[in-house]
């Protein structure tokens, strides 16, 4: 009898807990809000990681995303066409933080290294020549999800396909003169920032509008 009753009680406790979990309000992360929703808190600790553990993991992820960085460069055509101010303004207004910036005429060696993944493409030599034809403004921007968001702000590689409202969609005409560079992944951003900037060329600073841009 005990053998039959125990699994039944276990099963019914589990069933009640699942029903309450399914109907209880949740936070953004899906963790149940109400501490008392479970019939017995021992089940909670057995089945789920603690609330503190969950919250601290989320905070760590959010904090690291807030400090994500990307490399943005206004290419020679963008500098010649006086688009530097307009481009900086778009990133500032979006809420990103400028942590590094310089105007340079990049060496061919640096440009070859930067575009190393494209070295077998037929346009590689003309790309290096174009990027070496005049000064460029290289920047490091920081903020939540900055890599992905800046790619959206920049638009498709070919300005003919870039949507209006994107930088390439508003200012570009041809794929060989597409105004701006933006890193395309967090890993690539790390590599490119390391290539173009030394750590003393970047500045960490407290943004006094932080709480108006991010919550918590
Ligand atoms: P992305 O700049 O959007 O990341 P990638 O494919 O990484 O695009 O190419 C790097 C750069 O090479 C482009 O921004 C553009 O300047 C140039 N490029 C790419 N495809 C072509 C092409 O078909 N003809 C000429 N230049 C190209
Ligand atoms: Mg690219």
């Amino acid at each position: 009898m005990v053998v039959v009753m125990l699994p039944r009680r276990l099963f019914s406790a589990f069933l009640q807990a699942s029903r309450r979990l399914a109907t209880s309000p949740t936070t953004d992360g899906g963790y149940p809000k109400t501490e008392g929703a479970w019939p017995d808190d021992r089940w909670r600790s057995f089945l789920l990681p603690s609330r503190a553990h969950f919250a601290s993991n989320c905070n760590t992820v959010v904090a690291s995303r807030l400090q994500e960085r990307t490399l943005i460069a206004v290419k020679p055509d963008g500098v010649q066409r006086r688009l530097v101010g307009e481009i900086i303004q778009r990133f500032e207004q979006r809420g990103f933080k400028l942590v590094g910036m310089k105007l340079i005429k990049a060496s061919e060696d640096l440009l070859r290294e930067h575009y190393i993944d494209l070295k077998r493409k037929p346009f590689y030599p003309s790309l290096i020549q174009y990027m070496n034809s005049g000064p460029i403004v290289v920047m490091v921007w920081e903020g939540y999800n900055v890599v992905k968001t800046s790619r959206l702000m920049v638009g498709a590689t070919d300005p003919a396909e870039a949507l209006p409202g994107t930088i390439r969609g508003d200012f570009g005409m041809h794929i060989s003169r597409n105004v701006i560079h933006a890193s395309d992944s967090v890993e690539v951003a790390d590599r490119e920032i390391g290539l173009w900037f030394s750590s003393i060329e970047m500045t960490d600073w407290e943004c006094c509008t932080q709480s108006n841009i991010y919550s918590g």
Side-chain angles (χ1 to χ4, degrees), residues 151 181-182 184:
R151 289 291 294 192
H181 165 83
D184 63 10

Side-chain angles (χ1 to χ4, degrees), residues 2-196:
V2 172
V3 176
V4 175
M5 289 298 290
L6 192 60
R8 254 197 193 175
R9 289 190 60 189
L10 269 173
F11 180 71
S12 107
F14 183 75
L15 207 63
Q16 278 182 45
S18 330
R19 280 199 194 119
R20 287 187 190 182
L21 181 61
T23 54
S24 65
T26 59
T27 63
D28 283 347
Y31 198 95
K33 260 181 189 163
T34 44
E35 285 288 348
W38 291 76
D40 183 338
D41 271 356
R42 278 171 299 173
W43 294 110
R44 169 195 287 278
S45 57
F46 181 69
L47 295 169
L48 288 172
S50 75
R51 186 184 300 277
H53 176 79
F54 183 85
S56 90
N57 276 357
C58 280
N59 288 342
T60 309
V61 171
V62 170
S64 69
R65 301 288 292 281
L66 291 184
Q67 285 164 2
E68 192 174 291
R69 289 181 173 185
T70 197
L71 187 93
I72 300 292
V74 184
K75 294 179 175 181
D77 52 324
V79 175
Q80 295 289 349
R81 292 174 56 200
R82 317 291 200 270
L83 293 173
V84 174
E86 166 75 35
I87 288 169
I88 289 176
Q89 188 173 36
R90 289 188 180 210
F91 282 85
E92 282 191 326
Q93 286 181 340
R94 183 71 190 233
F96 293 121
K97 187 165 82 173
L98 183 62
V99 293
M101 179 165 77
K102 57 188 175 185
L103 173 83
I104 56 167
K105 189 157 180 295
S107 70
E108 284 193 22
D109 285 349
L110 179 55
L111 291 166
R112 281 203 191 91
E113 186 61 29
H114 176 78
Y115 283 122
I116 192 87
D117 293 345
L118 301 175
K119 69 171 184 232
R120 290 186 211 295
K121 298 282 184 187
F123 58 82
Y124 182 71
S126 57
L127 172 63
I128 302 302
Q129 200 181 15
Y130 145 60
M131 289 295 290
N132 180 245
S133 67
I136 60 181
V137 173
V138 207
M139 297 173 275
V140 179
W141 287 89
E142 181 183 291
Y144 180 71
N145 221 12
V146 67
V147 171
K148 189 175 170 197
T149 306
S150 58
R151 289 291 294 192
L152 291 172
M153 291 165 66
V154 163
T157 304
D158 184 351
E161 288 170 14
L163 295 175
T166 64
I167 293 165
R168 286 169 174 167
D170 288 349
F171 305 116
M173 284 292 281
H174 192 264
I175 194 164
S176 63
R177 298 288 183 271
N178 61 2
V179 181
I180 184 168
H181 165 83
S183 312
D184 63 10
S185 71
V186 174
E187 295 70 34
V188 168
D190 287 346
R191 183 183 82 81
E192 291 180 349
I193 291 168
L195 196 60
W196 290 89

Side-chain angles (χ1 to χ4, degrees), residues 95 205-214:
W205 54 284
E206 287 294 317
C207 180
C208 65
T209 54
Q210 182 89 354
S211 64
N212 297 112
I213 296 172
Y214 304 104

